[in-house]
């Protein structure tokens, strides 16, 4: 009985690790595509920015999962990218935020949405509300972020995630951690 349970557990763990690896490659491919499209070049590299555990614990956004990147080319720093995950009604979704060198949001994109409803938050029209937001701006829903009928939970979640991200990047920048 214990051997059968152990075997089942190993199969589940192996499947989970394989899925995570594939999923990460899928996200990495989407991130690189967005960076290429945004900057108009395939001539760039990304470098993971490591945030200490103490600094990570002092902010609302999650860092340390290789999700904060410096984007560079031969001329220097082009910008920064953050890959996040936020809850929707019953699942989560992955998103990307690209900042310029002054930490102003230049792109916000939903990379993978895993639910049947609420996917409208991935529309360019809705996401453009975040473009131009700086470390001194607040993201407030309801307030300066528009609602989407049928996607209230996802709108609230994305708005909170980006508001927390701006606040977190501001704190890390002030601490000279980034």
């Amino acid at each position: 009985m214990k051997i059968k349970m152990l075997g089942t557990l190993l199969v589940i763990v192996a499947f989970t690790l394989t899925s995570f690896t594939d999923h990460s490659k899928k996200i990495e491919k989407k991130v690189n595509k967005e960076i290429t499209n945004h900057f108009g070049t395939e001539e760039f590299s990304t470098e993971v920015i490591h945030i200490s555990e103490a600094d990570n614990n002092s902010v609302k956004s999650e860092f340390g999962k290789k999700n904060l990147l410096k984007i560079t080319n031969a001329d220097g720093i082009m910008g920064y990218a953050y890959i996040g995950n936020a809850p929707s009604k019953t699942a989560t979704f992955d998103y990307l935020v690209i900042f310029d060198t002054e930490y102003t949001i230049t792109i916000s994109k939903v990379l993978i949405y895993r639910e049947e409803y609420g996917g409208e938050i991935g529309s360019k029209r809705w996401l453009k509300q975040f473009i131009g937001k700086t470390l001194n701006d607040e993201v407030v829903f309801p307030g300066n972020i528009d609602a989407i009928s049928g996607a209230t939970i996802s709108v609230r979640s994305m708005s909170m995630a980006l508001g927390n991200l701006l606040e977190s990047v501001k704190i890390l920048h002030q601490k000279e951690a980034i």
Side-chain angles (χ1 to χ4, degrees):
M1 180 76 167
K2 287 184 179 180
I3 293 174
K4 186 176 182 180
M5 287 176 47
L6 182 60
T8 303
L9 181 62
L10 288 173
V11 168
I12 291 170
V13 169
F15 176 75
T16 303
L17 290 175
T18 303
S19 297
F20 182 75
T21 301
D22 293 343
H23 183 70
S24 293
K25 289 183 188 284
K26 184 176 182 181
I27 289 175
E28 183 180 337
K29 185 176 179 180
K30 288 182 179 219
V31 167
N32 287 336
K33 178 182 175 189
E34 288 302 318
I35 292 171
T36 297
N37 289 342
H38 178 63
F39 290 106
T41 181
E42 292 182 10
E43 301 297 319
F44 68 88
S45 61
T46 59
E47 175 187 333
V48 174
I49 300 173
H50 297 281
I51 303 299
S52 73
E53 187 175 338
D55 285 337
N56 189 33
N57 291 334
S58 72
V59 295
K60 293 179 181 177
S61 293
E62 178 67 29
F63 298 94
K65 296 180 179 176
K66 299 182 181 181
N67 61 344
L68 182 60
L69 308 170
K70 182 181 348 179
I71 307 163
T72 59
N73 66 8
D75 296 328
I77 299 173
M78 298 166 64
Y80 303 90
Y82 177 82
I83 305 153
N85 182 274
S88 52
K89 186 173 183 177
T90 61
T92 63
F93 59 91
D94 298 308
Y95 63 92
L96 168 69
V97 176
I98 297 178
F99 295 94
D100 66 13
T101 57
E102 301 296 318
Y103 302 104
T104 299
I105 295 176
T106 57
I107 293 282
S108 60
K109 171 102 177 170
V110 174
L111 298 171
I112 299 175
Y113 194 82
R114 297 176 181 86
E115 290 208 50
E116 193 172 322
Y117 298 104
E120 295 86 352
I121 65 162
S123 77
K124 288 181 183 181
R125 183 172 175 237
W126 186 77
L127 288 168
K128 73 180 180 180
Q129 298 176 89
F130 300 105
I131 296 173
K133 298 277 188 216
T134 70
L135 301 184
N136 295 318
D137 291 328
E138 289 188 17
V139 176
V140 182
F141 173 78
N144 63 356
I145 301 298
D146 295 334
I148 299 174
S149 180
T152 304
I153 293 170
S154 297
V155 165
R156 185 177 316 279
S157 181
M158 182 69 161
S159 299
M160 184 181 299
L162 290 188
N164 289 344
L165 178 60
L166 286 171
E167 181 182 324
S168 297
V169 169
K170 181 176 183 175
I171 291 168
L172 293 173
H173 184 60
Q174 289 171 339
K175 289 181 167 191
E176 298 182 0
I178 56 173

